[in-house]
Amino acid sequence: MVDILHRVGIKSSTTEVYDALTTAEGLAKWWATDTQGEGGDLGGVLRFRFEAGGFDMKVLELQPGARVLWEVVDGPAEWVGTQVRWELSQADDYTVVLFKHAGWKEPVEFMHHCSTKWALFLMSLKSLVETGEGAPDPRDVKIDNWN
Amino acid sequence: MVDILHRVGIKSSTTEVYDALTTAEGLAKWWATDTQGEGGDLGGVLRFRFEAGGFDMKVLELQPGARVLWEVVDGPAEWVGTQVRWELSQADDYTVVLFKHAGWKEPVEFMHHCSTKWALFLMSLKSLVETGEGAPDPRDVKIDNWN
């Protein structure tokens, strides 16, 4: 098993970041404009649709201002069964976000791509919370010949 | 052992990307403005200095247009002994860069930070080669309360 790890710091309260991770409205503004479902309900399913496909995530854990855990229940074969974990904490004027997309079976080329895309989407989340403007799909930053 | 993985695609020849990875002049334009040493000599040492510290990398492998491998011989304790590998290939109009920073002992918080920073520096490399303008330290994109 191999994991994608990232860390960003967002000049905001943990509450604002938590809201952007647990509401379809928030998620639509930094990740996938076409986001539906209930991110704030344990056991609920979030449906993210991108130009190139989509992911369904089941909400496994919610600790307001501190922690969110999703499991991928539908999407690309490499993603199904993996988990996406968000841990929030306050440091100085920042909400520090520790991100982990865990449980990839193999470090395939698609995982390299997703690691870089996650970094750019985390910067989109940071930008949304700090400035009100994110860069969600389909206005996301393109990184390679895949997207 | 855990690894940082990334993938970017750069609209250019593999030769241009290889040059940006193997000359101090190229490296200074997308990673650390203060770069010294010989990136094109097997066994040579590259010295990268940042606002917050620095890294010395020994050049272990060089395959023009295809592969570069460095080993960290001085720098933060978590980095020493790790390896940074670049694999280049042509796909459509792109040079695809597969990046691996391998051999971290533990997935510490600093590794999360470095993973995100590497993604932004890879985007700086892409920008440099495609537009002539990168974002090297100290003009690099800041991601959190550490840098």
Side-chain angles (χ1 to χ4, degrees):
Chain A
M1 294 289 190
V2 282
D3 305 332
I4 294 169
L5 308 176
H6 286 298
R7 181 186 198 273
V8 294
I10 302 176
K11 281 194 177 173
S12 73
S13 68
T14 55
T15 304
E16 285 175 274
V17 178
Y18 184 80
D19 287 349
L21 296 174
T22 54
T23 64
E25 295 71 24
L27 291 158
K29 287 180 185 163
W30 68 266
W31 196 25
T33 300
D34 183 357
T35 296
Q36 295 184 10
E38 295 301 329
D41 291 348
L42 267 184
V45 173
L46 283 160
R47 289 174 294 281
F48 303 97
R49 294 296 174 268
F50 298 80
E51 283 190 304
F55 314 109
D56 288 359
M57 304 275 197
K58 187 172 179 179
V59 180
L60 293 193
E61 285 186 50
L62 290 170
Q63 291 180 28
R67 188 180 167 97
V68 174
L69 179 67
W70 300 327
E71 181 165 317
V72 183
V73 293
D74 201 1
E78 297 92 334
W79 277 54
V80 174
T82 61
Q83 294 193 340
V84 176
R85 189 187 71 188
W86 307 84
E87 291 191 344
L88 314 181
S89 60
Q90 197 79 33
D92 311 323
D93 297 336
Y94 291 83
T95 291
V96 171
V97 180
L98 287 183
F99 170 90
K100 185 176 184 178
H101 184 175
W104 289 73
K105 290 190 184 72
E106 301 288 341
V108 291
E109 191 164 345
F110 183 47
M111 182 180 169
H112 293 64
H113 168 87
C114 292
S115 175
T116 314
K117 285 298 288 191
W118 271 125
L120 276 295
F121 279 121
L122 282 158
M123 293 302 285
S124 169
L125 168 65
K126 173 178 168 70
S127 175
L128 171 67
V129 175
E130 291 182 351
T131 74
E133 188 76 30
D137 170 276
R139 297 183 290 106
D140 53 330
V141 178
K142 309 304 180 190
I143 62 164
D144 60 21
N145 57 327
W146 290 347
N147 181 27
Chain B
M1 295 288 190
V2 283
D3 306 332
I4 294 170
L5 308 176
H6 286 298
R7 182 186 197 273
V8 294
I10 303 177
K11 283 195 175 173
S12 73
S13 68
T14 54
T15 303
E16 285 176 274
V17 178
Y18 185 80
D19 286 350
L21 296 174
T22 55
T23 63
E25 295 71 24
L27 290 157
K29 287 178 185 164
W30 68 264
W31 197 25
T33 300
D34 184 356
T35 295
Q36 296 184 8
E38 296 301 328
D41 292 348
L42 268 184
V45 173
L46 284 161
R47 289 176 294 280
F48 303 96
R49 293 294 175 271
F50 298 79
E51 284 189 304
F55 314 109
D56 289 358
M57 304 276 197
K58 186 172 180 179
V59 180
L60 292 192
E61 284 186 51
L62 290 170
Q63 291 179 27
R67 188 180 166 96
V68 174
L69 179 66
W70 300 326
E71 181 164 317
V72 183
V73 293
D74 202 1
E78 298 92 336
W79 277 55
V80 174
T82 62
Q83 294 192 340
V84 176
R85 190 188 70 189
W86 307 83
E87 291 190 344
L88 314 182
S89 61
Q90 196 78 32
D92 312 322
D93 298 334
Y94 291 83
T95 292
V96 172
V97 180
L98 288 183
F99 170 91
K100 184 176 184 176
H101 184 176
W104 288 73
K105 290 190 184 73
E106 299 289 341
V108 291
E109 190 164 345
F110 183 46
M111 183 179 168
H112 294 63
H113 168 86
C114 293
S115 175
T116 313
K117 285 299 286 190
W118 271 125
L120 275 295
F121 279 122
L122 282 158
M123 294 302 285
S124 169
L125 168 65
K126 174 177 167 68
S127 175
L128 171 67
V129 175
E130 291 182 349
T131 73
E133 189 76 30
D137 168 275
R139 296 183 291 108
D140 54 328
V141 178
K142 309 305 180 191
I143 63 164
D144 60 21
N145 57 328
W146 289 347
N147 182 29

